[in-house]
Amino acid sequence: MTFKDLHIISMKSFSRDMIDHILDTAEKLEPIASSKSKSDLLKGKVLAVMFFEPSTRTRMSFETAMMRLGGDVLSLGSVDASSIAKGETLADTIRVVEGYSNAIVLRHNKEGAAQLASEFSSVPIINAGDGAGHHPTQTFLDLYTIRRESHLDGLKIALAGDLKYGRTVHSLCYALSLYGAEITLVSPKELRMPAEIIDDLKSHNIKVRETDSIEEAISDVDVLYATRIQKERFPDPAEYRKVANSLQITPELLEKAKPELKVMHPLPRTNEIDPRVDGTPHACYFRQSFYGVPVRMALLALVMGALK
Amino acid sequence: MEETPIPEIRVHPIRNGTVIDHITAGQALNVLNILNIPNPSSGVVSIIINAPSVHGIKDVVKIEGRELNVEEVDRISLIAPKATINIIRNFEVSGKTHVHIPEKVSGVVKCINPNCISNSNEPVTSRFTVKPDGRKITLRCSYCERTISEDIGNHLL
Ligand SMILES: [Zn+2]
């Protein structure tokens, strides 16, 4: 198994062995991520960070990961000010930037952009989100969080919120199917998980059930993964409020849960999680966001060949 | 009561050329489109639409004076996976092949996703993996992974 020069485009190209190796590596690097020790593992290496649409957290998480490993970061400035605004193709931009760097992190508004970039780049491309497409590093950090805070084998998980458009839950479901999880899907009928994804899960012998009641789902799961419900999905604001309130996670609701239940959320949240949950032992969304750093450190070190 | 057998071919035989038989009903015009017909040099072309056959209705296209190349046959397979290609030489069928469904096609079909990178001005051609699915074909975009399974003929480049 070699990760050197591997493009990280979609979760679908990762086997369970590969995922386990990435998570193991992240665990080894976690003390460096939290600055308990220092590293110059990627000293002399340059990471190009190209974000064609803003996502401050993902960008900062990659930049932190690179810096904690002693590497340098080269940022594409704001898109308006660059040649992209002058009509340069992504293919050309990539062919220029690969000459400056040892790996490229790409976020783009068009689906398939990372795949295209990988066809023009001799240095590894890491997809940090392409339109409504993939965002594999988010899935790796979600899996890492589940492994650190709960357990991946024999996991019972409820996914709640916008399951229709939420790309992160789609790839998370795919990855969990490699670990034989039992999945409960909680969503309003307007935002249900696409049927082809459910069929896919069932064909992997995954137990899937669907409900619109978070109360019903919460009592026997190990992890509750909440996602953001976007107002603009609802033509009627009253309908949005009804849905948003019915899926809100509160301390009262959590009284019905197992004591070891962990609540996850990719952040930013709107009102899916009552702030009073933050102080309970169930909350792990801020640690989840921190775990993005060791996970991205692991990916960078592996694709740049600094670790095997 | 016994039905009168239906004559299989309703137009006169051709001397040299190609008969594309068992085209999925309704796809004959898309087959012509793939073959860039009509054009001034295309010779005589006969089309039969909705011809009864043992497997229901079908379309048939006969082209005089032309043999198809592999790429053309690959394209036809996407919209008419059951088609057979009969090469006619001197009024005789000199070769009969089923269309071959390729594993990948490039530059043949346009992705239906308006936000797909292959639909922008990047220097790439559209590319799909082809999955035969019974009598149907599913195409999956190699860039955005969106699938096309209905009306592939309407998305030909
Ligand atoms: Zn596409």
Side-chain angles (χ1 to χ4, degrees), chain A residues 10 87 89-91 95 108-113 115-116 119-120 131-132 134, chain B residues 113-124 127 140 142-146:
Chain A
S10 147
T89 61
L90 175 62
R95 282 181 284 193
H108 202 280
N109 56 324
K110 291 214 180 281
E111 283 122 68
Q115 172 60 36
L116 179 133
E119 291 169 15
F120 289 91
H134 298 283
Chain B
N113 174 5
N115 200 40
C116 176
I117 194 86
S118 72
N119 285 327
S120 53
N121 66 339
E122 297 294 333
V124 289
R127 197 170 72 233
R140 180 183 291 269
S142 301
Y143 291 97
C144 73
E145 299 186 356
R146 190 77 72 86

PDB file of all heavy atoms in Angstrom, chain A residues 10 87 89-91 95 108-113 115-116 119-120 131-132 134, chain B residues 113-124 127 140 142-146:
ATOM      1  N   SER A  10     -12.031  11.141  -4.271  1.00  0.00           N
ATOM      2  CA  SER A  10     -13.336  10.651  -3.847  1.00  0.00           C
ATOM      3  C   SER A  10     -13.159   9.486  -2.875  1.00  0.00           C
ATOM      4  O   SER A  10     -12.219   8.698  -3.012  1.00  0.00           O
ATOM      5  CB  SER A  10     -14.095  10.184  -5.094  1.00  0.00           C
ATOM      6  OG  SER A  10     -14.934   9.099  -4.808  1.00  0.00           O
ATOM      7  N   GLY A  87     -10.051  34.525 -17.223  1.00  0.00           N
ATOM      8  CA  GLY A  87     -10.530  33.460 -18.100  1.00  0.00           C
ATOM      9  C   GLY A  87      -9.561  32.312 -18.285  1.00  0.00           C
ATOM     10  O   GLY A  87      -9.727  31.494 -19.171  1.00  0.00           O
ATOM     11  N   THR A  89      -8.074  28.710 -17.858  1.00  0.00           N
ATOM     12  CA  THR A  89      -8.732  27.456 -17.489  1.00  0.00           C
ATOM     13  C   THR A  89      -8.101  26.893 -16.214  1.00  0.00           C
ATOM     14  O   THR A  89      -6.955  27.218 -15.884  1.00  0.00           O
ATOM     15  CB  THR A  89      -8.579  26.401 -18.607  1.00  0.00           C
ATOM     16  OG1 THR A  89      -7.185  26.148 -18.797  1.00  0.00           O
ATOM     17  CG2 THR A  89      -9.204  26.873 -19.913  1.00  0.00           C
ATOM     18  N   LEU A  90      -8.858  26.037 -15.554  1.00  0.00           N
ATOM     19  CA  LEU A  90      -8.336  25.357 -14.372  1.00  0.00           C
ATOM     20  C   LEU A  90      -7.127  24.499 -14.769  1.00  0.00           C
ATOM     21  O   LEU A  90      -6.132  24.447 -14.057  1.00  0.00           O
ATOM     22  CB  LEU A  90      -9.437  24.490 -13.742  1.00  0.00           C
ATOM     23  CG  LEU A  90      -9.015  23.626 -12.555  1.00  0.00           C
ATOM     24  CD1 LEU A  90      -8.536  24.475 -11.390  1.00  0.00           C
ATOM     25  CD2 LEU A  90     -10.182  22.730 -12.104  1.00  0.00           C
ATOM     26  N   ALA A  91      -7.237  23.867 -15.929  1.00  0.00           N
ATOM     27  CA  ALA A  91      -6.139  23.003 -16.401  1.00  0.00           C
ATOM     28  C   ALA A  91      -4.825  23.794 -16.484  1.00  0.00           C
ATOM     29  O   ALA A  91      -3.777  23.316 -16.048  1.00  0.00           O
ATOM     30  CB  ALA A  91      -6.495  22.398 -17.758  1.00  0.00           C
ATOM     31  N   ARG A  95      -1.376  23.464 -14.158  1.00  0.00           N
ATOM     32  CA  ARG A  95      -0.076  23.176 -14.759  1.00  0.00           C
ATOM     33  C   ARG A  95       0.985  24.205 -14.354  1.00  0.00           C
ATOM     34  O   ARG A  95       2.168  23.918 -14.375  1.00  0.00           O
ATOM     35  CB  ARG A  95      -0.198  23.085 -16.287  1.00  0.00           C
ATOM     36  CG  ARG A  95      -0.791  21.720 -16.681  1.00  0.00           C
ATOM     37  CD  ARG A  95      -0.911  21.563 -18.171  1.00  0.00           C
ATOM     38  NE  ARG A  95      -2.045  22.317 -18.699  1.00  0.00           N
ATOM     39  CZ  ARG A  95      -2.533  22.154 -19.925  1.00  0.00           C
ATOM     40  NH1 ARG A  95      -1.988  21.289 -20.746  1.00  0.00           N
ATOM     41  NH2 ARG A  95      -3.565  22.864 -20.324  1.00  0.00           N
ATOM     42  N   HIS A 108     -13.298  23.915  -5.437  1.00  0.00           N
ATOM     43  CA  HIS A 108     -13.819  24.511  -6.663  1.00  0.00           C
ATOM     44  C   HIS A 108     -15.336  24.383  -6.664  1.00  0.00           C
ATOM     45  O   HIS A 108     -15.891  23.478  -6.056  1.00  0.00           O
ATOM     46  CB  HIS A 108     -13.207  23.765  -7.864  1.00  0.00           C
ATOM     47  CG  HIS A 108     -13.230  24.551  -9.140  1.00  0.00           C
ATOM     48  ND1 HIS A 108     -14.349  24.652  -9.928  1.00  0.00           N
ATOM     49  CD2 HIS A 108     -12.264  25.264  -9.758  1.00  0.00           C
ATOM     50  CE1 HIS A 108     -14.069  25.401 -10.986  1.00  0.00           C
ATOM     51  NE2 HIS A 108     -12.805  25.794 -10.905  1.00  0.00           N
ATOM     52  N   ASN A 109     -15.994  25.322  -7.350  1.00  0.00           N
ATOM     53  CA  ASN A 109     -17.461  25.276  -7.362  1.00  0.00           C
ATOM     54  C   ASN A 109     -18.024  24.285  -8.385  1.00  0.00           C
ATOM     55  O   ASN A 109     -19.209  23.982  -8.348  1.00  0.00           O
ATOM     56  CB  ASN A 109     -18.019  26.676  -7.613  1.00  0.00           C
ATOM     57  CG  ASN A 109     -17.471  27.280  -8.901  1.00  0.00           C
ATOM     58  OD1 ASN A 109     -16.310  27.060  -9.255  1.00  0.00           O
ATOM     59  ND2 ASN A 109     -18.295  28.007  -9.615  1.00  0.00           N
ATOM     60  N   LYS A 110     -17.190  23.775  -9.289  1.00  0.00           N
ATOM     61  CA  LYS A 110     -17.722  22.849 -10.300  1.00  0.00           C
ATOM     62  C   LYS A 110     -17.451  21.397  -9.937  1.00  0.00           C
ATOM     63  O   LYS A 110     -16.352  21.042  -9.515  1.00  0.00           O
ATOM     64  CB  LYS A 110     -17.121  23.142 -11.674  1.00  0.00           C
ATOM     65  CG  LYS A 110     -17.588  24.467 -12.252  1.00  0.00           C
ATOM     66  CD  LYS A 110     -17.715  24.387 -13.749  1.00  0.00           C
ATOM     67  CE  LYS A 110     -18.190  25.695 -14.349  1.00  0.00           C
ATOM     68  NZ  LYS A 110     -19.623  25.904 -14.221  1.00  0.00           N
ATOM     69  N   GLU A 111     -18.469  20.547 -10.146  1.00  0.00           N
ATOM     70  CA  GLU A 111     -18.306  19.126  -9.863  1.00  0.00           C
ATOM     71  C   GLU A 111     -17.337  18.491 -10.854  1.00  0.00           C
ATOM     72  O   GLU A 111     -17.424  18.755 -12.045  1.00  0.00           O
ATOM     73  CB  GLU A 111     -19.661  18.418  -9.953  1.00  0.00           C
ATOM     74  CG  GLU A 111     -20.513  18.664  -8.737  1.00  0.00           C
ATOM     75  CD  GLU A 111     -21.845  19.295  -9.088  1.00  0.00           C
ATOM     76  OE1 GLU A 111     -22.659  18.620  -9.718  1.00  0.00           O
ATOM     77  OE2 GLU A 111     -22.049  20.454  -8.720  1.00  0.00           O
ATOM     78  N   GLY A 112     -16.445  17.675 -10.334  1.00  0.00           N
ATOM     79  CA  GLY A 112     -15.472  17.019 -11.200  1.00  0.00           C
ATOM     80  C   GLY A 112     -14.181  17.810 -11.354  1.00  0.00           C
ATOM     81  O   GLY A 112     -13.253  17.366 -12.031  1.00  0.00           O
ATOM     82  N   ALA A 113     -14.102  18.989 -10.716  1.00  0.00           N
ATOM     83  CA  ALA A 113     -12.916  19.836 -10.877  1.00  0.00           C
ATOM     84  C   ALA A 113     -11.655  19.127 -10.381  1.00  0.00           C
ATOM     85  O   ALA A 113     -10.592  19.212 -11.011  1.00  0.00           O
ATOM     86  CB  ALA A 113     -13.110  21.152 -10.135  1.00  0.00           C
ATOM     87  N   GLN A 115     -11.052  15.895 -10.206  1.00  0.00           N
ATOM     88  CA  GLN A 115     -10.699  14.841 -11.160  1.00  0.00           C
ATOM     89  C   GLN A 115      -9.958  15.446 -12.347  1.00  0.00           C
ATOM     90  O   GLN A 115      -8.915  14.962 -12.769  1.00  0.00           O
ATOM     91  CB  GLN A 115     -11.983  14.123 -11.627  1.00  0.00           C
ATOM     92  CG  GLN A 115     -11.791  13.129 -12.759  1.00  0.00           C
ATOM     93  CD  GLN A 115     -10.845  11.998 -12.407  1.00  0.00           C
ATOM     94  OE1 GLN A 115     -10.818  11.528 -11.259  1.00  0.00           O
ATOM     95  NE2 GLN A 115     -10.025  11.568 -13.361  1.00  0.00           N
ATOM     96  N   LEU A 116     -10.508  16.528 -12.869  1.00  0.00           N
ATOM     97  CA  LEU A 116      -9.863  17.206 -13.998  1.00  0.00           C
ATOM     98  C   LEU A 116      -8.454  17.656 -13.605  1.00  0.00           C
ATOM     99  O   LEU A 116      -7.487  17.405 -14.333  1.00  0.00           O
ATOM    100  CB  LEU A 116     -10.701  18.398 -14.464  1.00  0.00           C
ATOM    101  CG  LEU A 116     -10.087  19.189 -15.628  1.00  0.00           C
ATOM    102  CD1 LEU A 116     -11.133  19.460 -16.700  1.00  0.00           C
ATOM    103  CD2 LEU A 116      -9.480  20.498 -15.171  1.00  0.00           C
ATOM    104  N   GLU A 119      -5.795  15.115 -13.722  1.00  0.00           N
ATOM    105  CA  GLU A 119      -5.346  14.692 -15.047  1.00  0.00           C
ATOM    106  C   GLU A 119      -4.267  15.622 -15.615  1.00  0.00           C
ATOM    107  O   GLU A 119      -3.643  15.308 -16.604  1.00  0.00           O
ATOM    108  CB  GLU A 119      -6.546  14.618 -16.004  1.00  0.00           C
ATOM    109  CG  GLU A 119      -7.494  13.480 -15.634  1.00  0.00           C
ATOM    110  CD  GLU A 119      -8.836  13.519 -16.364  1.00  0.00           C
ATOM    111  OE1 GLU A 119      -8.961  14.252 -17.367  1.00  0.00           O
ATOM    112  OE2 GLU A 119      -9.766  12.825 -15.900  1.00  0.00           O
ATOM    113  N   PHE A 120      -4.096  16.784 -14.992  1.00  0.00           N
ATOM    114  CA  PHE A 120      -3.106  17.736 -15.489  1.00  0.00           C
ATOM    115  C   PHE A 120      -1.948  17.942 -14.521  1.00  0.00           C
ATOM    116  O   PHE A 120      -1.059  18.729 -14.787  1.00  0.00           O
ATOM    117  CB  PHE A 120      -3.767  19.084 -15.790  1.00  0.00           C
ATOM    118  CG  PHE A 120      -4.653  19.034 -16.999  1.00  0.00           C
ATOM    119  CD1 PHE A 120      -5.997  18.738 -16.874  1.00  0.00           C
ATOM    120  CD2 PHE A 120      -4.124  19.246 -18.266  1.00  0.00           C
ATOM    121  CE1 PHE A 120      -6.812  18.657 -17.998  1.00  0.00           C
ATOM    122  CE2 PHE A 120      -4.922  19.175 -19.394  1.00  0.00           C
ATOM    123  CZ  PHE A 120      -6.267  18.876 -19.263  1.00  0.00           C
ATOM    124  N   GLY A 131     -17.997  21.596  -5.810  1.00  0.00           N
ATOM    125  CA  GLY A 131     -19.425  21.805  -6.039  1.00  0.00           C
ATOM    126  C   GLY A 131     -20.246  20.916  -5.119  1.00  0.00           C
ATOM    127  O   GLY A 131     -19.966  20.818  -3.928  1.00  0.00           O
ATOM    128  N   ALA A 132     -21.237  20.247  -5.697  1.00  0.00           N
ATOM    129  CA  ALA A 132     -22.048  19.333  -4.895  1.00  0.00           C
ATOM    130  C   ALA A 132     -21.403  17.952  -4.870  1.00  0.00           C
ATOM    131  O   ALA A 132     -22.015  16.978  -4.463  1.00  0.00           O
ATOM    132  CB  ALA A 132     -23.452  19.243  -5.471  1.00  0.00           C
ATOM    133  N   HIS A 134     -17.573  15.767  -4.200  1.00  0.00           N
ATOM    134  CA  HIS A 134     -16.937  15.104  -3.065  1.00  0.00           C
ATOM    135  C   HIS A 134     -16.189  16.064  -2.149  1.00  0.00           C
ATOM    136  O   HIS A 134     -15.793  17.138  -2.558  1.00  0.00           O
ATOM    137  CB  HIS A 134     -15.952  14.069  -3.587  1.00  0.00           C
ATOM    138  CG  HIS A 134     -16.611  13.008  -4.390  1.00  0.00           C
ATOM    139  ND1 HIS A 134     -17.315  11.988  -3.809  1.00  0.00           N
ATOM    140  CD2 HIS A 134     -16.699  12.825  -5.719  1.00  0.00           C
ATOM    141  CE1 HIS A 134     -17.803  11.209  -4.752  1.00  0.00           C
ATOM    142  NE2 HIS A 134     -17.449  11.700  -5.928  1.00  0.00           N
TER     143      HIS A 134
ATOM    144  N   ASN B 113     -25.119  17.399 -16.427  1.00  0.00           N
ATOM    145  CA  ASN B 113     -24.996  18.261 -15.255  1.00  0.00           C
ATOM    146  C   ASN B 113     -24.424  19.623 -15.690  1.00  0.00           C
ATOM    147  O   ASN B 113     -23.266  19.707 -16.075  1.00  0.00           O
ATOM    148  CB  ASN B 113     -24.062  17.566 -14.254  1.00  0.00           C
ATOM    149  CG  ASN B 113     -23.734  18.409 -13.046  1.00  0.00           C
ATOM    150  OD1 ASN B 113     -24.270  19.512 -12.879  1.00  0.00           O
ATOM    151  ND2 ASN B 113     -22.848  17.897 -12.210  1.00  0.00           N
ATOM    152  N   PRO B 114     -25.225  20.685 -15.629  1.00  0.00           N
ATOM    153  CA  PRO B 114     -24.732  21.975 -16.098  1.00  0.00           C
ATOM    154  C   PRO B 114     -23.543  22.471 -15.278  1.00  0.00           C
ATOM    155  O   PRO B 114     -22.741  23.270 -15.760  1.00  0.00           O
ATOM    156  CB  PRO B 114     -25.934  22.917 -15.942  1.00  0.00           C
ATOM    157  CG  PRO B 114     -26.899  22.218 -15.057  1.00  0.00           C
ATOM    158  CD  PRO B 114     -26.600  20.744 -15.120  1.00  0.00           C
ATOM    159  N   ASN B 115     -23.407  21.973 -14.045  1.00  0.00           N
ATOM    160  CA  ASN B 115     -22.300  22.419 -13.200  1.00  0.00           C
ATOM    161  C   ASN B 115     -21.085  21.481 -13.277  1.00  0.00           C
ATOM    162  O   ASN B 115     -20.171  21.564 -12.462  1.00  0.00           O
ATOM    163  CB  ASN B 115     -22.781  22.560 -11.755  1.00  0.00           C
ATOM    164  CG  ASN B 115     -21.857  23.459 -10.946  1.00  0.00           C
ATOM    165  OD1 ASN B 115     -21.379  24.480 -11.445  1.00  0.00           O
ATOM    166  ND2 ASN B 115     -21.566  23.075  -9.703  1.00  0.00           N
ATOM    167  N   CYS B 116     -21.103  20.577 -14.258  1.00  0.00           N
ATOM    168  CA  CYS B 116     -19.970  19.649 -14.406  1.00  0.00           C
ATOM    169  C   CYS B 116     -18.799  20.374 -15.066  1.00  0.00           C
ATOM    170  O   CYS B 116     -18.976  21.119 -16.023  1.00  0.00           O
ATOM    171  CB  CYS B 116     -20.386  18.458 -15.262  1.00  0.00           C
ATOM    172  SG  CYS B 116     -19.032  17.316 -15.585  1.00  0.00           S
ATOM    173  N   ILE B 117     -17.601  20.108 -14.574  1.00  0.00           N
ATOM    174  CA  ILE B 117     -16.406  20.766 -15.115  1.00  0.00           C
ATOM    175  C   ILE B 117     -16.214  20.441 -16.604  1.00  0.00           C
ATOM    176  O   ILE B 117     -15.658  21.244 -17.352  1.00  0.00           O
ATOM    177  CB  ILE B 117     -15.153  20.381 -14.276  1.00  0.00           C
ATOM    178  CG1 ILE B 117     -13.957  21.295 -14.585  1.00  0.00           C
ATOM    179  CG2 ILE B 117     -14.770  18.927 -14.486  1.00  0.00           C
ATOM    180  CD1 ILE B 117     -13.894  22.553 -13.803  1.00  0.00           C
ATOM    181  N   SER B 118     -16.724  19.286 -17.052  1.00  0.00           N
ATOM    182  CA  SER B 118     -16.556  18.931 -18.472  1.00  0.00           C
ATOM    183  C   SER B 118     -17.426  19.805 -19.377  1.00  0.00           C
ATOM    184  O   SER B 118     -17.243  19.822 -20.586  1.00  0.00           O
ATOM    185  CB  SER B 118     -16.883  17.447 -18.713  1.00  0.00           C
ATOM    186  OG  SER B 118     -18.265  17.215 -18.618  1.00  0.00           O
ATOM    187  N   ASN B 119     -18.379  20.533 -18.795  1.00  0.00           N
ATOM    188  CA  ASN B 119     -19.198  21.452 -19.581  1.00  0.00           C
ATOM    189  C   ASN B 119     -18.682  22.891 -19.539  1.00  0.00           C
ATOM    190  O   ASN B 119     -19.388  23.812 -19.927  1.00  0.00           O
ATOM    191  CB  ASN B 119     -20.648  21.425 -19.088  1.00  0.00           C
ATOM    192  CG  ASN B 119     -21.362  20.154 -19.530  1.00  0.00           C
ATOM    193  OD1 ASN B 119     -21.085  19.631 -20.591  1.00  0.00           O
ATOM    194  ND2 ASN B 119     -22.264  19.655 -18.698  1.00  0.00           N
ATOM    195  N   SER B 120     -17.460  23.078 -19.033  1.00  0.00           N
ATOM    196  CA  SER B 120     -16.899  24.428 -19.076  1.00  0.00           C
ATOM    197  C   SER B 120     -15.819  24.451 -20.162  1.00  0.00           C
ATOM    198  O   SER B 120     -15.632  23.481 -20.870  1.00  0.00           O
ATOM    199  CB  SER B 120     -16.356  24.817 -17.700  1.00  0.00           C
ATOM    200  OG  SER B 120     -15.478  23.828 -17.246  1.00  0.00           O
ATOM    201  N   ASN B 121     -15.083  25.539 -20.270  1.00  0.00           N
ATOM    202  CA  ASN B 121     -14.164  25.633 -21.414  1.00  0.00           C
ATOM    203  C   ASN B 121     -12.797  25.010 -21.142  1.00  0.00           C
ATOM    204  O   ASN B 121     -11.793  25.471 -21.634  1.00  0.00           O
ATOM    205  CB  ASN B 121     -14.020  27.096 -21.855  1.00  0.00           C
ATOM    206  CG  ASN B 121     -13.344  27.920 -20.767  1.00  0.00           C
ATOM    207  OD1 ASN B 121     -13.344  27.526 -19.596  1.00  0.00           O
ATOM    208  ND2 ASN B 121     -12.758  29.053 -21.125  1.00  0.00           N
ATOM    209  N   GLU B 122     -12.774  23.939 -20.360  1.00  0.00           N
ATOM    210  CA  GLU B 122     -11.514  23.253 -20.058  1.00  0.00           C
ATOM    211  C   GLU B 122     -11.091  22.401 -21.262  1.00  0.00           C
ATOM    212  O   GLU B 122     -11.947  21.940 -22.022  1.00  0.00           O
ATOM    213  CB  GLU B 122     -11.696  22.359 -18.829  1.00  0.00           C
ATOM    214  CG  GLU B 122     -12.041  23.099 -17.547  1.00  0.00           C
ATOM    215  CD  GLU B 122     -10.920  23.999 -17.060  1.00  0.00           C
ATOM    216  OE1 GLU B 122      -9.743  23.703 -17.355  1.00  0.00           O
ATOM    217  OE2 GLU B 122     -11.220  25.020 -16.401  1.00  0.00           O
ATOM    218  N   PRO B 123      -9.785  22.183 -21.406  1.00  0.00           N
ATOM    219  CA  PRO B 123      -9.305  21.410 -22.560  1.00  0.00           C
ATOM    220  C   PRO B 123      -9.480  19.899 -22.383  1.00  0.00           C
ATOM    221  O   PRO B 123      -8.521  19.136 -22.478  1.00  0.00           O
ATOM    222  CB  PRO B 123      -7.821  21.784 -22.626  1.00  0.00           C
ATOM    223  CG  PRO B 123      -7.465  22.093 -21.211  1.00  0.00           C
ATOM    224  CD  PRO B 123      -8.683  22.695 -20.583  1.00  0.00           C
ATOM    225  N   VAL B 124     -10.675  19.459 -22.104  1.00  0.00           N
ATOM    226  CA  VAL B 124     -10.933  18.015 -21.959  1.00  0.00           C
ATOM    227  C   VAL B 124     -12.183  17.653 -22.746  1.00  0.00           C
ATOM    228  O   VAL B 124     -13.032  18.510 -22.983  1.00  0.00           O
ATOM    229  CB  VAL B 124     -11.161  17.591 -20.486  1.00  0.00           C
ATOM    230  CG1 VAL B 124      -9.882  17.655 -19.702  1.00  0.00           C
ATOM    231  CG2 VAL B 124     -12.256  18.410 -19.807  1.00  0.00           C
ATOM    232  N   ARG B 127     -16.176  12.306 -20.833  1.00  0.00           N
ATOM    233  CA  ARG B 127     -15.787  10.891 -20.760  1.00  0.00           C
ATOM    234  C   ARG B 127     -16.749  10.173 -19.826  1.00  0.00           C
ATOM    235  O   ARG B 127     -17.068  10.688 -18.750  1.00  0.00           O
ATOM    236  CB  ARG B 127     -14.354  10.805 -20.234  1.00  0.00           C
ATOM    237  CG  ARG B 127     -13.684   9.476 -20.491  1.00  0.00           C
ATOM    238  CD  ARG B 127     -12.203   9.529 -20.179  1.00  0.00           C
ATOM    239  NE  ARG B 127     -11.969   9.586 -18.746  1.00  0.00           N
ATOM    240  CZ  ARG B 127     -11.219  10.495 -18.153  1.00  0.00           C
ATOM    241  NH1 ARG B 127     -10.615  11.429 -18.858  1.00  0.00           N
ATOM    242  NH2 ARG B 127     -11.074  10.483 -16.856  1.00  0.00           N
ATOM    243  N   ARG B 140     -21.932   6.882 -16.810  1.00  0.00           N
ATOM    244  CA  ARG B 140     -21.550   7.643 -15.624  1.00  0.00           C
ATOM    245  C   ARG B 140     -20.413   8.583 -15.989  1.00  0.00           C
ATOM    246  O   ARG B 140     -19.362   8.150 -16.465  1.00  0.00           O
ATOM    247  CB  ARG B 140     -21.129   6.699 -14.504  1.00  0.00           C
ATOM    248  CG  ARG B 140     -20.725   7.445 -13.222  1.00  0.00           C
ATOM    249  CD  ARG B 140     -20.234   6.492 -12.158  1.00  0.00           C
ATOM    250  NE  ARG B 140     -21.317   5.679 -11.649  1.00  0.00           N
ATOM    251  CZ  ARG B 140     -22.066   6.013 -10.592  1.00  0.00           C
ATOM    252  NH1 ARG B 140     -21.824   7.112  -9.935  1.00  0.00           N
ATOM    253  NH2 ARG B 140     -23.036   5.225 -10.188  1.00  0.00           N
ATOM    254  N   SER B 142     -17.218  10.602 -15.944  1.00  0.00           N
ATOM    255  CA  SER B 142     -15.948  10.363 -15.241  1.00  0.00           C
ATOM    256  C   SER B 142     -15.513  11.575 -14.425  1.00  0.00           C
ATOM    257  O   SER B 142     -14.603  11.478 -13.620  1.00  0.00           O
ATOM    258  CB  SER B 142     -14.843  10.021 -16.222  1.00  0.00           C
ATOM    259  OG  SER B 142     -15.193   8.880 -16.942  1.00  0.00           O
ATOM    260  N   TYR B 143     -16.131  12.711 -14.651  1.00  0.00           N
ATOM    261  CA  TYR B 143     -15.796  13.899 -13.867  1.00  0.00           C
ATOM    262  C   TYR B 143     -16.741  14.066 -12.691  1.00  0.00           C
ATOM    263  O   TYR B 143     -16.324  13.997 -11.540  1.00  0.00           O
ATOM    264  CB  TYR B 143     -15.763  15.134 -14.778  1.00  0.00           C
ATOM    265  CG  TYR B 143     -14.597  15.059 -15.725  1.00  0.00           C
ATOM    266  CD1 TYR B 143     -14.754  14.596 -17.019  1.00  0.00           C
ATOM    267  CD2 TYR B 143     -13.315  15.359 -15.278  1.00  0.00           C
ATOM    268  CE1 TYR B 143     -13.662  14.461 -17.869  1.00  0.00           C
ATOM    269  CE2 TYR B 143     -12.219  15.230 -16.114  1.00  0.00           C
ATOM    270  CZ  TYR B 143     -12.397  14.785 -17.397  1.00  0.00           C
ATOM    271  OH  TYR B 143     -11.315  14.639 -18.221  1.00  0.00           O
ATOM    272  N   CYS B 144     -18.028  14.269 -12.955  1.00  0.00           N
ATOM    273  CA  CYS B 144     -18.935  14.596 -11.842  1.00  0.00           C
ATOM    274  C   CYS B 144     -19.704  13.381 -11.323  1.00  0.00           C
ATOM    275  O   CYS B 144     -20.416  13.486 -10.326  1.00  0.00           O
ATOM    276  CB  CYS B 144     -19.906  15.688 -12.258  1.00  0.00           C
ATOM    277  SG  CYS B 144     -21.181  15.112 -13.388  1.00  0.00           S
ATOM    278  N   GLU B 145     -19.614  12.232 -12.019  1.00  0.00           N
ATOM    279  CA  GLU B 145     -20.281  10.990 -11.614  1.00  0.00           C
ATOM    280  C   GLU B 145     -21.788  10.993 -11.796  1.00  0.00           C
ATOM    281  O   GLU B 145     -22.471  10.063 -11.372  1.00  0.00           O
ATOM    282  CB  GLU B 145     -19.919  10.596 -10.172  1.00  0.00           C
ATOM    283  CG  GLU B 145     -18.431  10.356 -10.014  1.00  0.00           C
ATOM    284  CD  GLU B 145     -18.046   9.822  -8.662  1.00  0.00           C
ATOM    285  OE1 GLU B 145     -18.928   9.695  -7.810  1.00  0.00           O
ATOM    286  OE2 GLU B 145     -16.845   9.542  -8.490  1.00  0.00           O
ATOM    287  N   ARG B 146     -22.340  12.044 -12.376  1.00  0.00           N
ATOM    288  CA  ARG B 146     -23.781  12.039 -12.676  1.00  0.00           C
ATOM    289  C   ARG B 146     -24.044  10.962 -13.724  1.00  0.00           C
ATOM    290  O   ARG B 146     -23.216  10.725 -14.604  1.00  0.00           O
ATOM    291  CB  ARG B 146     -24.199  13.419 -13.210  1.00  0.00           C
ATOM    292  CG  ARG B 146     -25.707  13.611 -13.329  1.00  0.00           C
ATOM    293  CD  ARG B 146     -26.384  13.887 -12.010  1.00  0.00           C
ATOM    294  NE  ARG B 146     -26.112  15.206 -11.478  1.00  0.00           N
ATOM    295  CZ  ARG B 146     -26.821  16.302 -11.802  1.00  0.00           C
ATOM    296  NH1 ARG B 146     -27.830  16.229 -12.635  1.00  0.00           N
ATOM    297  NH2 ARG B 146     -26.532  17.457 -11.254  1.00  0.00           N
TER     298      ARG B 146
END
